């Protein structure tokens, strides 16, 4: 009897399909915020601030979609992997990191409504949040990679002779 290859569109595969956009956009939001600390030109700094805001907006909204799809995958994968503690830690760091990015996003929005005497404090706190969140993003990604590449989370494991690929 020849095994059948499962559909690529399995529920546990939705997470890796949705997680890469927020990883890139949140990474870029943090990096552009860091670069804006160094750049002296007002025009370049304005561009970097706008880029930070756009990347943060896309990253936060798509990040919560990735959290949702991660929850869907969690209930499936937690029974299939050898060390579910790594999955739980990945989940915790993903939530913590996205909450920090969401706080930075809300602070950036608040700058449009807060009196100017508080704006420097808010900008400083915002930059600190974006830098701290970047480390959380790296660690969350590291844990996610270890789940996939060390434990095979979300992956299909073919038979020893790969007979399901022969037609």
């Amino acid at each position: 009897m020849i095994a059948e290859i499962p559909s690529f569109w399995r529920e546990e595969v939705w997470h890796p399909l949705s997680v890469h956009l927020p990883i890139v956009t949140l990474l870029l939001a943090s990096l552009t915020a860091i670069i804006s600390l160094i750049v002296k030109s007002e025009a370049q700094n304005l561009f970097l601030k706008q880029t930070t805001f756009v990347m943060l907006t896309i990253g936060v909204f798509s990040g919560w979609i990735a959290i949702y799809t991660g929850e869907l995958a969690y209930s499936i994968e937690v029974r299939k992997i050898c060390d579910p503690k790594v999955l739980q830690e990945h989940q915790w760091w993903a939530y913590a990191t996205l909450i920090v990015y969401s706080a930075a996003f809300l602070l950036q929005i608040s700058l449009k409504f807060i009196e100017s005497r508080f704006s420097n404090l808010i900008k400083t706190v915002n930059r600190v949040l974006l830098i701290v969140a970047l480390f959380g993003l790296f660690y969350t990604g590291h844990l996610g990679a270890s789940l996939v590449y060390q434990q095979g989370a979300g992956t299909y494991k073919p038979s020893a002779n790969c007979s399901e690929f022969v037609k």
Side-chain angles (χ1 to χ4, degrees):
M1 181 173 168
I2 296 175
E4 188 174 316
I5 301 170
S7 169
F8 179 76
W9 299 107
R10 302 181 314 276
E11 197 169 287
E12 66 270 23
V13 178
W14 297 350
H15 180 62
L17 289 173
S18 66
V19 78
H20 291 92
L21 178 64
I23 289 172
V24 170
T25 53
L26 294 172
L27 172 72
L28 288 173
S30 289
L31 290 179
T32 54
I34 292 168
I35 293 169
S36 73
L37 293 170
I38 302 164
V39 172
K40 301 296 181 209
S41 165
E42 193 61 38
Q44 291 174 336
N45 218 335
L46 178 62
F47 172 76
L48 290 169
K49 288 177 184 177
Q50 290 172 338
T51 301
T52 300
F53 182 73
V54 168
M55 292 297 111
L56 194 55
T57 303
I58 295 167
V60 166
F61 284 104
S62 62
W64 285 110
I65 292 169
I67 290 283
Y68 172 74
T69 59
E71 289 293 334
L72 295 175
Y74 181 91
S75 60
I76 296 166
E77 292 302 318
V78 73
R79 295 182 296 254
K80 295 180 181 179
I81 59 175
C82 297
D83 186 4
K85 288 181 182 168
V86 177
L87 184 56
Q88 292 166 348
E89 192 173 353
H90 173 68
Q91 181 185 37
W92 188 92
W93 277 96
Y95 271 103
T97 300
L98 196 54
I99 287 168
V100 174
Y101 273 116
S102 297
F105 173 67
L106 292 174
L107 279 178
Q108 283 203 350
I109 290 174
S110 74
L111 282 171
K112 299 182 185 327
F113 305 105
I114 302 292
E115 292 181 38
S116 61
R117 63 183 169 159
F118 296 114
S119 64
N120 284 336
L121 175 64
I122 291 172
K123 288 176 186 178
T124 301
V125 170
N126 192 37
R127 287 179 178 140
V128 169
L129 289 177
L130 288 171
I131 292 168
V132 168
L134 181 60
F135 289 103
L137 185 67
F138 286 146
Y139 190 63
T140 304
H142 163 73
L143 292 170
S146 71
L147 286 166
V148 173
Y149 296 110
Q150 291 177 333
Q151 298 192 54
T155 61
Y156 170 68
K157 294 140 191 92
S159 62
N161 65 359
C162 298
S163 61
E164 62 269 37
F165 292 97
V166 178
K167 293 197 177 205

